[in-house]
Amino acid sequence: MTELLRLSKRMSELGLCSRREADEWIERGWVRVDGKIVSELGSKVFPHQRVSVERQAAAEQSKRVTILINKPVGLVSGQAEDGHQPAISLVKAENRWSECPVDNQFHPTQLMSLVAAGRLDIDSVGLLVLTQDGRIAKHLIGQDTTVEKEYLVRVEYSRPGRLPEKDLRLLNHGLSLDGKKLIPAKVRWQNDDQLNFILKEGKKRQIRRMCEMVGLTVLGLKRVRIGKVKLGKLPEGQWRYLQEDEQF
């Protein structure tokens, strides 16, 4: 027998919105199942049932912003912690990149429900995504995400000579963290002291820990791409809006 699913979970699976958005829309009477409005939280549906949303939901979703920040060292990605400022503190009119291509006026209400879709360590720099759009957050940090993240990593080898080729192959595939094998990565030398990493997962301090395992010390780490969206010329400490034609 086909199993019943929570309506909010089913809406998230279908890519309509996040679960939190789904609950809001259900309460407002903006969700239909097989053409009938369902407004009770916790309602369940079968996978074969048709779920649709009213135009008001789509209109509200279109107003939600996604912001790209070039995060500097010393800021945390999410909530403020240990006296360190969060990256969202940079999102104000005076820090907006003068070359931002989106004709959108900044307003403090855009900070509401703006969450980091992924993280960068406090001592790492580069591309950080903050979004009000649950679909984008799920796409970037959901359990089944396969979105590539690209990093430039300045390293120093702590042993005599140069990193052996076999250890470079280990960085690409063969290491384990927290008792689990890492999925294959793409790691190559960018220049004499800098590696290029492309990952499809993001365990805590993953690159630094991978490097330690083969005798490398990370001196600097910069994220330059998430999916098809590049950091580009965005200056450190500044932000811009995601363009309509940009997709991760």
Side-chain angles (χ1 to χ4, degrees):
M1 184 177 168
T2 310
E3 201 174 317
L4 280 164
L5 299 169
R6 280 184 73 101
L7 177 54
S8 57
K9 184 182 180 195
R10 181 61 179 149
M11 289 171 69
S12 174
E13 285 178 354
L14 291 169
L16 294 171
C17 57
S18 68
R19 288 200 200 185
R20 187 177 62 188
E21 286 171 324
D23 284 337
E24 286 176 20
W25 295 356
I26 291 165
E27 281 190 304
R28 293 186 187 187
W30 289 354
V31 181
R32 291 179 184 266
V33 176
D34 292 338
K36 293 181 180 176
I37 289 176
V38 175
S39 57
E40 188 178 331
L41 286 179
S43 296
K44 295 191 174 184
V45 294
F46 287 109
H48 67 266
Q49 290 186 279
R50 187 169 59 85
V51 179
S52 59
V53 297
E54 303 290 86
R55 280 179 301 180
Q56 299 99 306
E60 185 179 274
Q61 200 168 48
S62 70
K63 294 177 195 167
R64 301 196 171 186
V65 299
T66 295
I67 284 171
L68 311 176
I69 294 179
N70 186 345
K71 186 190 90 66
V73 167
L75 269 66
V76 293
S77 300
Q79 297 293 318
E81 54 185 73
D82 299 330
H84 296 292
Q85 287 282 94
I88 196 173
S89 65
L90 292 173
V91 185
K92 43 194 173 188
E94 57 265 37
N95 290 337
R96 184 178 179 181
W97 187 30
S98 60
E99 295 179 34
C100 176
V102 177
D103 184 21
N104 196 352
Q105 192 169 352
F106 172 71
H107 193 274
T109 55
Q110 292 167 359
L111 299 174
M112 292 170 59
S113 305
L114 194 65
V115 296
R119 54 173 286 136
L120 266 180
D121 297 329
I122 191 167
D123 42 7
S124 299
V125 303
L127 184 58
L128 181 69
V129 178
L130 302 180
T131 187
Q132 292 178 318
D133 191 331
R135 296 169 302 174
I136 287 177
K138 181 175 184 288
H139 183 58
L140 296 184
I141 58 175
Q143 201 170 3
D144 303 320
T145 184
T146 57
V147 177
E148 287 186 346
K149 284 107 179 170
E150 182 176 356
Y151 304 81
L152 297 179
V153 186
R154 196 166 298 284
V155 294
E156 186 176 68
Y157 194 41
S158 58
R159 300 166 191 167
R162 186 171 165 82
L163 183 76
E165 203 56 39
K166 66 178 177 59
D167 285 345
L168 183 64
R169 287 196 295 272
L170 265 182
L171 288 172
N172 278 270
H173 192 215
L175 296 177
S176 298
L177 287 179
D178 306 324
K180 287 188 178 178
K181 270 199 172 296
L182 295 173
I183 64 174
K186 295 175 188 171
V187 186
R188 60 179 175 82
W189 285 105
Q190 184 87 5
N191 52 46
D192 285 347
D193 66 347
Q194 192 166 237
L195 286 166
N196 179 290
F197 271 75
I198 298 176
L199 304 180
K200 288 187 176 179
E201 60 187 334
K203 293 183 182 294
K204 192 170 183 182
R205 298 181 75 81
Q206 179 172 336
I207 291 175
R208 295 174 191 275
R209 293 163 70 195
M210 288 172 72
C211 286
E212 281 171 13
M213 293 169 89
V214 295
L216 291 170
T217 302
V218 172
L219 305 178
L221 189 153
K222 181 178 189 177
R223 184 157 62 201
V224 295
R225 177 174 66 85
I226 299 176
K228 294 178 182 176
V229 176
K230 295 179 180 179
L231 178 64
K233 296 178 181 177
L234 181 63
E236 192 171 300
Q238 295 187 25
W239 63 273
R240 70 172 178 87
Y241 292 108
L242 183 74
Q243 295 171 239
E244 276 188 31
D245 60 350
E246 283 183 303
Q247 290 189 336
F248 291 100

